[in-house]
Amino acid sequence: PSAQQVAENHGARPALGERLQLLTDALADAAQPLRAPGLLLADRRARPVLRLGALILGAILIAAVLVLWVNRCREDQRKAQYRDYMAEVAEIAGSSEQIGRELNTRITTPGIKLDDLQGQLNGLAEEQEQLTRRAEDLEPPGPLREQQEELVESLQLRVSGLTGLTRAFDEVPEAKDPQTAGRLLVVPAERLVA
């Protein structure tokens, strides 16, 4: 018999070290989960199902990350498309505005000969026509297609106004008075303000 059994049989209390050992063993036994023999077998069967669930969850997580990444790339591409389109439109509009300033300068130059002015107007009309072709070649982002058509139309009106002014200046020498000459120039000039 062990010392503990002897002490228990004789009513004596075990020593402090022995009591601590007994307490430690009892706590260790309590920390072990209670398992019935059938549960141990069920745990083994559940492991593949848990692994499959973890794999499915991982696949869903990866798919979600990929979808977010692709959407972010699309958003960046869409912003770049708008930015590039607007930069092209700004450049075309600036060039067209510059042609308008040159027209104003040339028409208001004192002492310019009519033939020289017509040649300069033809040059400006050709430059404006080139800008119109550039605008027609632009590919606007979907929602801006209507504005793109309006841009092209306004540039075409400017070309029409410049060529109309050139033709009107051909008829100015035949006009009998300044009012008639002015009326000849009004219609094509109105197209330039489009």
Side-chain angles (χ1 to χ4, degrees):
S2 71
Q4 180 182 357
Q5 290 174 341
V6 170
E8 287 176 3
N9 290 340
H10 293 298
R13 292 182 64 181
L16 182 62
E18 290 175 8
R19 283 188 288 177
L20 285 175
Q21 184 61 43
L22 287 173
L23 184 60
T24 305
D25 291 343
L27 287 175
D29 289 342
Q32 294 294 326
L34 298 175
R35 293 187 181 212
L39 288 179
L40 187 58
L41 183 60
D43 285 347
R44 287 185 191 147
R45 289 182 192 153
R47 285 183 188 158
V49 173
L50 290 176
R51 284 184 192 154
L52 180 62
L55 284 174
I56 292 172
L57 183 62
I60 290 171
L61 182 62
I62 289 172
V65 168
L66 284 175
V67 166
L68 291 174
W69 179 69
V70 166
N71 284 341
R72 177 68 179 170
C73 289
R74 284 183 184 165
E75 181 69 21
D76 291 346
Q77 182 182 16
R78 188 175 64 85
K79 285 180 182 179
Q81 186 180 16
Y82 273 91
R83 183 180 55 246
D84 294 345
Y85 173 77
M86 293 308 291
E88 277 289 318
V89 167
E91 185 179 327
I92 290 170
S95 296
S96 182
E97 184 179 340
Q98 179 61 35
I99 290 172
R101 283 193 293 268
E102 289 178 29
L103 171 66
N104 189 37
T105 301
R106 291 176 184 171
I107 287 179
T108 58
T109 301
I112 191 168
K113 294 183 179 180
L114 192 56
D115 290 338
D116 293 339
L117 180 61
Q118 286 176 312
Q120 292 174 356
L121 288 177
N122 279 330
L124 292 176
E126 288 175 17
E127 287 180 47
Q128 189 67 46
E129 179 65 34
Q130 290 173 357
L131 289 176
T132 303
R133 281 194 296 270
R134 275 182 58 197
E136 289 170 339
D137 291 341
L138 290 177
E139 294 184 23
L144 296 179
R145 291 188 201 286
E146 185 176 324
Q147 288 80 4
Q148 167 70 14
E149 290 172 8
E150 292 171 3
L151 169 69
V152 170
E153 184 179 331
S154 68
L155 292 173
Q156 288 170 341
L157 284 171
R158 287 180 158 228
V159 170
S160 175
L162 286 169
T163 56
L165 272 178
T166 303
R167 283 192 300 262
F169 276 116
D170 282 340
E171 298 174 16
V172 165
E174 299 170 7
K176 298 184 183 199
D177 57 53
Q179 285 83 13
T180 304
R183 281 193 294 271
L184 290 172
L185 298 174
V186 166
V187 173
E190 286 177 344
R191 294 182 190 140
L192 294 173
V193 293

